[in-house]
């Protein structure tokens, strides 16, 4: 590994999301909430979603972790707002597979998420990138079951 | 090298330790893994508290076991089995000596310090009743918290904790109140794996014994780093891991007073730990074998004495001085970095060879990744001490920990690495 790998991990986009994370605001109404924990470091993130019909109209991300998980949460807030829960779930699944080495389907627009592919060269950091997204998956299940999410982990 | 040569080496006169500092570079050259590079930099290994690197002697001894006398212990009646058993029992004797255990038979060979602590907790379960108390501390490693939590869930015992002061020491001002008529066990760490604090174990043990409690010490971070003497500490049981004091993986110890081992129930049943077995009942062997069910890690046991030899040859007093000096140097250098929060006592005399810190600008995960780019290996996270981190008000810290092979230039590399990380994030 080298400075190159490092610059691939911490691309400008990632550092920007880290420095100015999106979704750091209170939302009017919390319809679904879920928390995720990375047991290996103790980092925790809570997602709050405002949902109208099946569409996510606002996202709040609470809790701060490392640059990778903060940026990933920030991108999540930007990306899933305005999408249906089903779409958000699909993006989360694609991102998970992408982190484990698969290429995303050609037609999907993953926005700044593409910038997180550099994390793949740092296997121990993949969990950091996934934390907000596995939390989102739990939020989707919670919504379907009409409950608040439980704290899930990246393990 | 034949087994005979190993024996000869073991008995060869030890070179006298010199009073100068110059010996440390030679010591560090005995560790082959330290000779490699990482990310095109010299490896600066500052994660000894997680596991120490292994010297050539240990690696050679482990190989030698497999190459020339691999056999199961306490069973076969043939030359290899006898040699393997002798090596295994030699390990017991050396591991007992290292911590001044009452005798080799007071030393149980386990998998690691965690297994040793679980063994005590489970072994004493039958002596505890609902409402009895176990006193721990707020700074414990999960290995000395979770076994007691599990015990509390099963028996209804009450867990109490000695709090810590803001400078990361045990707050003993309330010890008198925390020790009650129902306190049955006090279990605490000798050296904190996060704060570095060297705890006044002897003082706590004396107060605990005055109330009739049994005292257990988790010496995972002290053995191999400073002289550890069960008698001086005044404890009834002591747990440690071989891998943290330059020995091989998969080997740990529980040293305990004979009365305590007699009182403890074995946690696992099986071969080796029995006297007589019938289809419906069995009787246990005497300690320590009572606690050693199944085939143990003989290869690691055969290798561990080489680590003890090295520590004796250098001298644990000298090791301690070396680490204290380096810890002092690390504290000095790191505290010159504005904004960096350093945990634990400020006086190096009160702490072991490790320094944990939190950089408000760079999360520990990012710090560890960036330091690794500079070849500097540190640990980032909660270091298996979540309650302590909650008390410190952070979820994670970055920890640099030292060993016999560490040097001032390692500390300098850490310092430069942190500066690099800060610049990288906030150019
Ligand atoms: C203070 C302390 N206790 C116990 C342990 C557990 O050691 P092991 O994982 O070898 O059982 C550790 C090591 O992480 C430690 O630092």
């Amino acid at each position: 590994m080298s400075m190159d790998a490092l610059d691939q991990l911490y691309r400008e986009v990632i550092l920007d999301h880290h420095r100015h994370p999106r979704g750091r605001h209170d939302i009017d109404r919390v319809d679904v909430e879920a928390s995720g924990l990375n047991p290996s470091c103790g980092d925790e993130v809570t997602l709050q979603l405002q949902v109208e019909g099946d569409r996510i109209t606002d996202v709040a991300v609470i809790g701060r972790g490392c640059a990778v998980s903060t940026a990933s949460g920030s991108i999540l807030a930007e990306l899933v707002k305005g999408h249906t829960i089903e779409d958000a779930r699909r993006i989360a699944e694609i991102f998970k597979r992408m982190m484990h080495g698969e290429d995303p389907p050609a037609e999907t627009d993953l926005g700044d998420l593409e910038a997180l592919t550099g994390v793949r060269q740092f296997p121990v950091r993949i969990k950091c990138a996934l934390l907000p997204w596995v939390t989102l998956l739990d939020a989707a299940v919670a919504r379907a079951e009409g409950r608040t999410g439980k704290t899930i982990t990246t393990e | 090298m034949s087994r005979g040569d190993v024996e000869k080496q073991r008995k060869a006169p030890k070179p006298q330790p010199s009073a100068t500092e110059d010996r440390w570079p030679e010591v560090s050259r005995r560790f082959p893994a330290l000779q490699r590079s990482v990310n095109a930099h010299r490896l600066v290994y500052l994660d000894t508290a997680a596991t120490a690197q292994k010297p050539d002697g240990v690696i050679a001894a482990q190989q030698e076991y497999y190459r020339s006398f691999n056999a199961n212990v306490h069973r076969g009646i043939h030359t290899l089995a006898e040699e393997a058993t002798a090596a295994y029992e030699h390990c017991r004797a050396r591991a007992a000596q290292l911590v001044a255990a009452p005798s080799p038979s007071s030393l149980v060979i386990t998998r690691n310090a965690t297994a040793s602590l679980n063994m005590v907790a489970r072994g004493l379960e039958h002596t505890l009743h609902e409402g009895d108390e176990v006193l721990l501390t707020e700074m414990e490693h999960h290995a000395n918290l979770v076994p007691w939590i599990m015990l509390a869930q099963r028996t209804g015992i009450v867990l109490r904790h000695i709090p810590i002061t803001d400078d990361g020491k045990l707050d003993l001002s309330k010890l008198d109140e925390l020790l009650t008529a129902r306190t049955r066990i006090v279990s605490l760490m000798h050296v904190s794996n996060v704060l570095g604090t060297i705890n006044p174990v002897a003082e706590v043990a004396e107060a605990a014994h005055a109330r009739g409690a049994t005292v257990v010490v988790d010496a995972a971070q002290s053995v191999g780093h400073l002289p550890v003497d069960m008698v001086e500490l005044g404890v009834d049981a002591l747990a440690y891991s071989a891998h943290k004091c330059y020995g091989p993986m998969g080997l740990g110890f529980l040293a305990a007073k004979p009365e305590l081992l007699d009182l403890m129930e074995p946690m696992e049943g099986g071969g080796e730990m029995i006297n007589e077995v019938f289809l419906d009942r069995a009787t246990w062997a005497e300690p320590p074998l009572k606690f050693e069910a199944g085939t143990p890690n003989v290869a690691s046991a055969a290798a561990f004495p080489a680590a003890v030899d090295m520590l004796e040859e250098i001298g644990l007093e000298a090791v301690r001085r070396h680490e204290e000096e380096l810890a002092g140097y690390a504290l000095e250098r790191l505290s010159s970095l504005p904004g960096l929060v350093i945990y634990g006592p400020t006086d190096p005399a009160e702490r072991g060879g490790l320094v944990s810190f939190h950089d408000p600008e760079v999360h520990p995960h990012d710090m560890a990744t960036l330091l690794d780019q500079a070849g500097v290996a540190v640990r980032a996270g909660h270091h298996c001490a979540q309650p302590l981190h909650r008390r410190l008000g952070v979820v994670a810290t970055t920890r640099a920990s030292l060993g016999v092979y560490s040097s001032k230039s390692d500390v300098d590399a850490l310092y430069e690495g942190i500066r690099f990380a800060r610049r990288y994030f906030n150019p």
Side-chain angles (χ1 to χ4, degrees), chain B residues 368-382:
Chain B
T369 293
L370 288 158
L371 286 173
D372 185 57
Q373 291 305 306
V376 181
V378 295
R379 172 110 187 248
H382 51 58

Side-chain angles (χ1 to χ4, degrees), chain B residues 264-311:
Chain B
M264 282 166 53
E265 292 275 347
M267 187 170 144
E268 294 177 330
E272 218 100 59
M273 55 77 70
I274 48 83
N275 244 348
E276 263 192 310
V277 180
F278 304 90
L279 285 178
D280 58 350
R281 70 204 140 88
T283 55
W284 316 150
E286 291 299 310
L289 291 187
K290 171 169 103 172
F291 302 101
E292 296 178 11
T295 300
N297 191 339
V298 190
S300 285
F304 184 59
V308 184
D309 290 348
M310 178 196 75
L311 288 166

